[in-house]
Amino acid sequence: MANRVITISRQFGSGGRTVGRMTAMKLGIPCYDQELIQKVAEESGFAERYIQERGEELSSGGWLTAAFTDREYNGLSLQDSLWLAQRNVILDLAKKGPCVIVGRCADFILRDEADCLKAFIHADMKQRAERIVTQYGERAASPEKRLKDKDKRRAAYYQFYTDMRWGAMENYDISLDSGTFGIEKCAEILANLY
Amino acid sequence: MANRVITISRQFGSGGRTVGRMTAMKLGIPCYDQELIQKVAEESGFAERYIQERGEELSSGGWLTAAFTDREYNGLSLQDSLWLAQRNVILDLAKKGPCVIVGRCADFILRDEADCLKAFIHADMKQRAERIVTQYGERAASPEKRLKDKDKRRAAYYQFYTDMRWGAMENYDISLDSGTFGIEKCAEILANLY
């Protein structure tokens, strides 16, 4: 049987990344997040920073940029090349063994390739705003605007490559409000379901 | 402190009602579903069948019907009178003690009145179609159309009275795919979180 993988999609500032790490720790399996970005960088030649941002968010120009201005000689936009590199790395990691993968449309990429538990972590605006200011060190000026912008870009990227709606509960096995339960409890729930 | 209540919203055919019953049974607290309808009938004079259908679904005419054609002498539409009667019964039940309440916008009605665990149960179209044919005895002809219609009416009713989007994960603490986990496991998860 295919390896058991937990994919974690998350709203920006919901602490989904930490939920992923904690879940993996509880289960004694690897969690791929920053490591995934490093691997994609190694295999594709893209800079880590570029992958970090452009590997799950559409830039301001959105698909128009991707479609018309961002072309390489081989006919693929940079964004599409990154998508393909990232996709290959995710497929490889899932083949290697059980793991937790955070973000990057892994739920969609692995839908037919692994035995996935697809989770989505969300929280209300107020709690996320607090989190990005205190934990991520974001500027305190209008964090709500920043959150909305990040969510919008992630949603647009997801929709563009998967043709499904990001954050629509139908696409996930379980969705959890990290503000209600706390990060630790969310990880416990997921580890128990594994 | 206010009583601890689990509210269960659900897609038609997802088995959310059964999840509610099982959760309540595990916790040894009452589950209000059919009993709620009976209570509303006693207090409002509406027929149970009318309450069953019109207490959480907008009729085909939608809010236009409600707004223009469905008026009583006291200035309230029948639908609005039913909403108020149902709201009062739900508030009363939550005051009486811990319980599980299925559907009927209880999550919204109790948002400031009880210590709520707000759950949403969903499942994919195929599994729900199978369920309504085998379990609810619905006609086998185009169950998908029936499911879409029911979901649409529930969503419209919810939106009309709560001004929020039905089935948007942000409105719930936890959303579960009953097709992935099974009814029994969903009840177990909710009972453990209570």
Side-chain angles (χ1 to χ4, degrees), chain B residues 16-157:
Chain B
R17 173 171 300 178
T18 316
V19 171
R21 288 208 174 279
M22 279 194 185
T23 308
M25 214 143 65
K26 280 176 197 291
L27 293 169
I29 60 178
C31 174
Y32 299 118
D33 171 25
Q34 199 54 42
E35 301 81 346
L36 199 158
I37 292 168
Q38 282 161 12
K39 263 190 198 307
V40 177
E42 278 162 31
E43 307 214 350
S44 70
F46 285 114
E48 285 185 29
R49 175 140 188 205
Y50 183 84
I51 299 165
Q52 177 99 48
E53 284 176 8
R54 299 290 295 272
E56 61 178 353
E57 288 171 19
L58 229 51
S59 65
S60 12
W63 66 269
L64 267 176
T65 311
F68 297 116
T69 68
D70 189 20
R71 297 218 161 258
E72 275 196 315
Y73 289 113
N74 63 0
L76 280 178
S77 71
L78 290 178
Q79 187 180 277
D80 288 346
S81 307
L82 173 54
W83 164 260
L84 289 175
Q86 196 164 268
R87 185 173 174 278
N88 288 337
V89 169
I90 289 174
L91 288 169
D92 276 356
L93 290 173
K95 256 184 219 132
K96 261 176 56 185
C99 60
V100 175
I101 301 180
V102 178
R104 298 182 184 266
C105 309
D107 55 315
F108 175 80
I109 291 165
L110 296 174
R111 71 199 178 289
D112 303 319
E113 308 290 334
D115 177 19
C116 275
L117 175 66
K118 294 175 284 177
F120 194 99
I121 307 295
H122 57 95
D124 73 19
M125 196 53 95
K126 197 167 149 273
Q127 280 165 309
R128 295 197 285 141
E130 211 178 284
R131 190 175 171 86
I132 67 169
V133 173
T134 60
Q135 306 268 317
Y136 306 177
E138 297 257 345
R139 278 179 308 126
S142 64
E144 282 87 359
K145 194 165 166 288
R146 173 101 173 110
L147 285 168
K148 275 188 192 148
D149 182 60
K150 284 286 250 186
D151 285 345
K152 215 161 85 179
R153 285 164 193 263
R154 282 187 185 172
Y157 186 91

